[in-house]
Amino acid sequence: MPEKPERRWLKHATPHTDLREFVDRADKAGELLHARGVHWDLEMGALAQAISHKRNEVRAVLFDEIPDYPKGFRVLCGGTNSSRRVALALGFPEPRSPLDAVRAYRNRMKEHEPIPPRVVKDGPVLENVQRDLEVDLCKFPVPRVHEEDGGRYLGTDDIVVMLDPEQEWVNAATYRNMVHSKNHTGLW
């Protein structure tokens, strides 16, 4: 495994605007391991597990130059699996231990006021919009993580927000999100 790069902790006054900015900040803080040419079928899962197995506070893995996919299609594994990256994502000071990140979170929640949603007409969140039959999940290098998995998982460390179509209540939770076809997924 390559040596760890020099760490430069940057506390940001504003949250990251998108995943690209978070990845850039994590990289500058020495929190990413770059892996190029790793195949989506089992290799990504095996490498990510080997890096994090029975160890805490390891770097996230950014897979790039994935065989069978265009340049620029990347996969981030373990993006928030350390107290340092959680602190970075939430704009906390650099933690000396995982407990520091927990304390910072608890302190913020004492004064937390929800931010109302804001509808926008443009911005990074609207860069790539596809609807109905335009959707093609197979164009992404979605990994098959474990040998016994029934398919390729688009999300395993994510938040899924759903509106119940009949009763209109909102559910937000973490699910494994498996690709079933080019425009269908299943949640577990």
Side-chain angles (χ1 to χ4, degrees):
M1 190 178 301
E3 287 184 32
K4 283 190 175 185
E6 177 186 337
R7 291 180 164 191
R8 294 180 298 154
W9 190 262
L10 304 170
K11 186 172 184 295
H12 298 277
T14 59
H16 52 277
T17 56
D18 59 20
L19 182 58
R20 289 171 287 211
E21 187 175 355
F22 172 75
V23 166
D24 185 54
R25 288 177 178 183
D27 197 22
K28 287 178 179 158
E31 287 292 310
L32 287 185
L33 173 65
H34 293 266
R36 290 176 174 76
V38 178
H39 201 276
W40 61 265
D41 192 18
L42 299 178
E43 289 182 6
M44 284 183 186
L47 184 58
Q49 187 164 353
I51 290 168
S52 64
H53 186 68
K54 294 188 178 180
R55 295 190 326 226
N56 295 324
E57 302 297 312
V58 297
R59 291 185 285 168
V61 184
L62 184 64
F63 296 102
D64 204 351
E65 299 174 20
I66 299 163
D68 305 327
Y69 288 90
K71 265 191 178 294
F73 279 64
R74 306 181 300 173
V75 172
L76 177 65
C77 214
T80 55
N81 288 0
S82 79
S83 61
R84 285 179 52 85
R85 287 188 304 283
V86 166
L88 185 67
L90 297 174
F92 297 156
E94 180 177 11
R96 291 183 309 278
S97 74
L99 194 54
D100 288 345
V102 172
R103 287 184 183 122
Y105 179 77
R106 283 185 174 168
N107 289 337
R108 178 177 288 169
M109 293 311 292
K110 289 176 186 174
E111 302 168 2
H112 174 70
E113 291 187 32
I115 301 169
R118 183 170 49 111
V119 176
V120 296
K121 292 183 193 259
D122 61 9
V125 72
L126 297 172
E127 251 175 42
N128 299 294
V129 175
Q130 295 178 346
R131 298 192 185 283
D132 305 319
L133 295 178
E134 293 176 319
V135 174
D136 185 2
L137 301 171
C138 300
K139 76 178 186 181
F140 301 107
V142 177
R144 185 167 71 111
V145 180
H146 304 289
E147 189 174 19
E148 299 294 322
D149 279 347
R152 299 166 71 176
Y153 281 89
L154 185 62
T156 58
D157 182 20
D158 55 344
I159 299 291
V160 177
V161 181
M162 296 179 280
L163 175 67
D164 182 277
E166 296 166 0
Q167 298 178 6
E168 297 191 4
W169 51 268
V170 175
N171 177 54
T174 300
Y175 296 97
R176 288 191 83 200
N177 189 343
M178 188 174 86
V179 174
H180 288 275
S181 71
K182 79 177 217 82
N183 59 3
H184 289 90
T185 64
L187 298 179
W188 177 46

